[in-house]
Amino acid sequence: MHDFVQHLINGISLGSIYALIALGYTMVYGILKMINFAHSDVYMVGAFGAFYIARALGIQAEPGVGSLAILLISSMVICSLLGLVIERFAYRPLRNAPKLNILITAIGVSLLLEYGGQVVFGADPKVFPEVMKDFVIISFGNVELKSFDLTVLAVSVLAMIGLQFLIYKTKLGKAMRAVSANASVASLLGVNPDKIIAFTFIVGSALAGVGSVLVGMKYPKIDPLMGMMIGMKAFVAAVLGGIGNVRGAVLGALIMGLSEEMVVGYLSSTYRDALAFGILIAILIFKPAGLLGKYSVEKV
Amino acid sequence: MVRALKNPLLSFIAILVFGLVFQYGFDEYIQLMVLFITVNCLMAMSLNLVNGYTGQFSLGHAGFMAIGAYFTAYASVNWNFLPENLQGLSFFVFAIGSGLVAAAAGFLVGLPSLRLKGDYLAIVTLGFGEIIRVALLNMDFLGGPRGFANIPGFSSFYMSYAFAVLWILICFFTIWRVMKSSWGRGFLSVREDEIAAESTGVNTTGMKVRAFVLSSFFAGVAGALFAHFTNFINPSSFTFLQSVNAVIMVVLGGMGSMTGSIIAAIFVTTLPEALRPLQELTGVDLRMVIYSLSLVLVMILRPKGIMGELEITDLWRKYVRRSARS
């Protein structure tokens, strides 16, 4: 029983990290109808950016909430700039190209970041600085609620609430929803789709930046290929919840995180990576639009 | 029948003569490269059937290659039904066997997942590729993470080369003939406009599954060749990167061009070796960076790939026509 509760806590903590990255996939998909394969590599670059900034500022000497905030903001800025550059130079020239070409470009950008990252940062893993002290907040028998889990959860929930506010309560969010519904009609009504799409990339990448710092805190080993697997799982989470749907992404990410912890805890850790795809295949066969997604018929 | 076999037979003999040059003119390093080029040719051509002709994006090709490689490895170590001097023949039988097993896997994967389109299909095939890899990691009788060593191979370079060339020609002319048949038209119609194809009575899912099964057959054979040539396989030879490698070859060569795939396979296999001096100079692996950059640039500048849908013979015909006009 105690084990189960501990797995539950770990699963929710993992799931909220997946959620942050899944939101980036979902936002870009909702507007551009494309999978931004490079999203998880933007996240990797964010982690390295935070690592170098922490080293330059000497932050690892003074862990605390202040240094966490500095790292979060710098990583968000780095990621959003990178997202903007990718959108401008790789995706915008292909705005009207067939979907296959856009998909291949996205894979190309992803590989470019991964292996370019190996060239720039070196292929060996680096240790992320200790941003905050990890201490046990509540201890109940064997069950421990650590401060990291709580921080991760709090930051993710804040980011999600902010995103929800942005999309449904602001003018910008209204424009985003308009472009998502129909880009050409939106442009007739005075919305500049290029700007909105660029903005979407900024927001999505900034969320990836938040995720990167949180993961760096929890699993302090970073390397240029770290985005590959977590990106796949976050994407699966987004599809599971119904891609293009913000709440769906969060729900899917929590399901992913929990089921993964349970598989590792009760079965075997070797099946960890196969689980995500197993879930994905099952979902796509039985409910192709995801749990909260709407099924749309393609019109001729 | 004799007429249909004329072209493959002539090309077989021609390429075999070409192989003599490699047998006597070059060292073992280059010979191994030539064998890898043949494996990659087979991979690129088979993936071209799905990606190029049928327009479905599959990212799990390495999985089928892995199935083929492991089947051959297991079979040629454990099953001996032919006398000693006919061992080469059993390799042929095992290659067909691995093709069939991979094709069966392709059918199982394809039937549910090919109802999906575009991005989803890419992810699902990627997922199947990964699941196959994880499954192989957990199978102890196939070596698990340690890999499968001591796979019997051919005694000489020339025998391996002839075997590979034989399979390349079988693959090339099979796909060539299929593309001229009603199935081939069906594949093309699915690529051009799925909804229109469906409304004119083409069974689109059926067509996709057929293309997928045929493609995974040849991927399985490619895996069998790979196993024989390297004599050692382990699950990490068949990762996501191997699938992407095949995609890069198809895209660079031109989606829907068989000869383009072959040219790209030769180019993509030799490029890292040609870059080796530069790599030693800078001390970093530039191969994947150049691959991925060229992938993005080709997609932006020449979306159909280098050859587009043209074959070499088409280019030749164009050239002749142009020079006749002037």
Side-chain angles (χ1 to χ4, degrees):
Chain A
M1 186 61 210
H2 286 171
D3 276 355
F4 181 76
V5 176
Q6 186 67 54
H7 288 315
L8 213 61
I9 292 172
N10 293 347
I12 289 174
S13 159
L14 189 64
S16 45
I17 290 174
Y18 285 158
L20 280 174
I21 300 164
L23 284 172
Y25 279 108
T26 264
M27 285 182 66
V28 171
Y29 193 90
I31 291 202
L32 275 182
K33 300 281 177 281
M34 68 166 282
I35 299 175
N36 181 15
F37 266 102
H39 186 69
S40 56
D41 303 300
V42 170
Y43 147 88
M44 177 272 294
V45 173
F48 271 94
F51 170 76
Y52 283 113
I53 283 182
R55 218 161 61 169
L57 297 179
I59 274 176
Q60 64 266 48
E62 38 187 314
V65 180
S67 45
L68 175 67
I70 294 174
L71 284 195
L72 276 180
I73 289 170
S74 53
S75 158
M76 279 164 82
V77 170
I78 290 168
C79 284
S80 37
L81 285 179
L82 184 64
L84 206 58
V85 169
I86 291 172
E87 195 274 329
R88 180 69 191 78
F89 291 105
Y91 298 152
R92 196 177 291 181
L94 287 166
R95 194 61 47 81
N96 297 317
K99 274 184 115 175
L100 198 58
N101 292 15
I102 302 177
L103 191 63
I104 293 170
T105 313
I107 292 178
V109 173
S110 158
L111 290 174
L112 183 63
L113 286 178
E114 276 164 17
Y115 290 93
Q118 281 196 346
V119 173
V120 177
F121 307 128
D124 50 320
K126 299 198 164 39
V127 179
F128 203 75
E130 196 185 11
V131 185
M132 276 177 78
K133 284 262 181 298
D134 194 12
F135 54 89
V136 179
I137 295 180
I138 303 169
S139 164
F140 183 77
N142 294 332
V143 184
E144 289 180 339
L145 180 63
K146 289 187 165 174
S147 64
F148 273 14
D149 295 330
L150 209 63
T151 319
V152 168
L153 193 63
V155 175
S156 319
V157 168
L158 273 180
M160 285 163 217
I161 292 174
L163 192 63
Q164 197 77 10
F165 177 79
L166 177 76
I167 291 179
Y168 291 102
K169 298 281 186 239
T170 62
K171 219 171 172 181
L172 214 50
K174 205 174 213 172
M176 280 166 73
R177 282 180 286 145
V179 172
S180 163
N182 192 333
S184 51
V185 174
S187 75
L188 286 179
L189 295 173
V191 177
N192 183 348
D194 276 345
K195 270 190 186 158
I196 298 299
I197 289 168
F199 179 74
T200 311
F201 270 84
I202 290 179
V203 175
S205 306
L207 287 173
V210 176
S212 72
V213 174
L214 295 181
V215 175
M217 276 164 52
K218 205 161 158 23
Y219 309 100
K221 227 166 78 182
I222 57 174
D223 68 288
L225 297 183
M226 68 194 267
M228 217 183 239
M229 213 56 222
I230 206 170
M232 290 287 51
K233 285 173 186 162
F235 173 75
V236 171
V239 174
L240 179 59
I243 195 157
N245 183 321
V246 172
R247 281 171 220 166
V250 177
L251 178 69
L254 285 178
I255 294 176
M256 278 289 301
L258 282 172
S259 52
E260 195 171 295
E261 275 297 325
M262 297 298 164
V263 165
V264 174
Y266 292 105
L267 285 170
S268 147
S269 61
T270 41
Y271 289 103
R272 183 180 202 152
D273 293 344
L275 171 84
F277 297 112
I279 292 182
L280 177 70
I281 290 161
I283 277 293
L284 286 178
I285 289 170
F286 294 111
K287 213 165 172 346
L291 293 177
L292 299 184
K294 287 191 211 79
Y295 189 72
S296 65
V297 179
E298 206 173 321
K299 286 184 197 135
V300 187
Chain B
M1 188 63 195
V2 177
R3 264 191 65 204
L5 280 179
K6 200 184 93 188
N7 273 339
L9 210 61
L10 280 181
S11 6
F12 186 53
I13 293 168
I15 306 178
L16 280 190
V17 173
F18 190 63
L20 280 176
V21 179
F22 287 104
Q23 168 77 38
Y24 295 109
F26 296 95
D27 56 0
E28 278 186 354
Y29 170 67
I30 298 204
Q31 290 178 353
L32 194 63
M33 286 272 307
V34 171
L35 294 182
F36 281 149
I37 287 176
T38 57
V39 172
N40 278 343
C41 270
L42 215 47
M43 283 293 279
M45 281 195 287
S46 65
L47 188 64
N48 191 19
L49 188 66
V50 174
N51 273 21
Y53 287 132
T54 320
Q56 305 302 308
F57 197 56
S58 164
L59 266 179
H61 224 50
F64 300 117
M65 189 181 172
I67 291 178
Y70 270 92
F71 179 84
T72 300
Y74 188 79
S76 51
V77 167
N78 292 327
W79 300 339
N80 265 321
F81 55 88
L82 282 172
E84 194 70 28
N85 50 350
L86 283 175
Q87 211 67 53
L89 197 65
S90 69
F91 287 161
F92 191 77
V93 176
F94 292 149
I96 292 179
S98 10
L100 289 177
V101 175
F107 182 73
L108 287 180
V109 172
L111 203 58
S113 55
L114 283 166
R115 293 173 201 287
L116 306 166
K117 283 174 194 157
D119 307 348
Y120 288 122
L121 180 65
I123 294 287
V124 167
T125 48
L126 196 170
F128 270 112
E130 284 295 302
I131 288 177
I132 288 170
R133 198 176 59 81
V134 173
L136 286 174
L137 276 176
N138 286 303
M139 284 184 188
D140 253 348
F141 70 103
L142 291 177
R146 294 186 309 282
F148 202 118
N150 299 327
I151 305 162
F154 293 93
S155 49
S156 68
F157 162 76
Y158 203 72
M159 280 307 291
S160 325
Y161 177 78
F163 187 62
V165 169
L166 179 66
W167 272 109
I168 286 183
L169 285 173
I170 292 174
C171 174
F172 187 94
F173 283 97
T174 309
I175 295 179
W176 188 268
R177 293 309 298 169
V178 163
M179 287 317 292
K180 300 274 184 256
S181 71
S182 62
W183 279 21
R185 302 295 164 202
F187 295 167
L188 289 178
S189 73
V190 169
R191 177 183 73 185
E192 293 306 331
D193 192 329
E194 211 174 319
I195 297 164
E198 193 150 21
S199 61
T200 46
V202 177
N203 176 2
T204 49
T205 306
M207 282 300 164
K208 288 187 223 167
V209 171
R210 278 168 210 169
F212 207 72
V213 167
L214 198 55
S215 162
S216 37
F217 177 86
F218 286 114
V221 173
L225 296 186
F226 181 76
H228 284 314
F229 295 162
T230 53
N231 301 341
F232 171 74
I233 48 175
N234 68 341
S236 59
S237 326
F238 308 105
T239 51
F240 173 58
L241 270 185
Q242 182 69 39
S243 307
V244 171
N245 220 358
V247 170
I248 288 174
M249 286 184 255
V250 172
V251 172
L252 281 185
M255 286 189 274
S257 164
M258 296 289 285
T259 43
S261 297
I262 296 176
I263 294 170
I266 295 173
F267 179 70
V268 168
T269 322
T270 45
L271 182 70
E273 304 305 322
L275 285 176
R276 203 168 280 268
L278 186 70
Q279 207 162 306
E280 273 162 16
L281 205 67
T282 50
V284 284
D285 186 9
L286 291 173
R287 188 184 56 149
M288 286 313 291
V289 177
I290 291 174
Y291 276 8
S292 46
L293 197 62
S294 53
L295 199 61
V296 175
L297 287 180
V298 165
M299 276 298 110
I300 292 175
L301 302 175
R302 231 188 125 69
K304 288 233 150 182
I306 293 166
M307 298 281 285
E309 283 165 35
L310 296 176
E311 305 288 350
I312 280 224
T313 48
D314 298 333
L315 288 183
W316 174 249
R317 244 172 254 146
K318 247 186 176 173
Y319 170 74
V320 170
R321 209 175 295 151
R322 199 178 300 150
S323 46
R325 212 181 293 141
S326 57

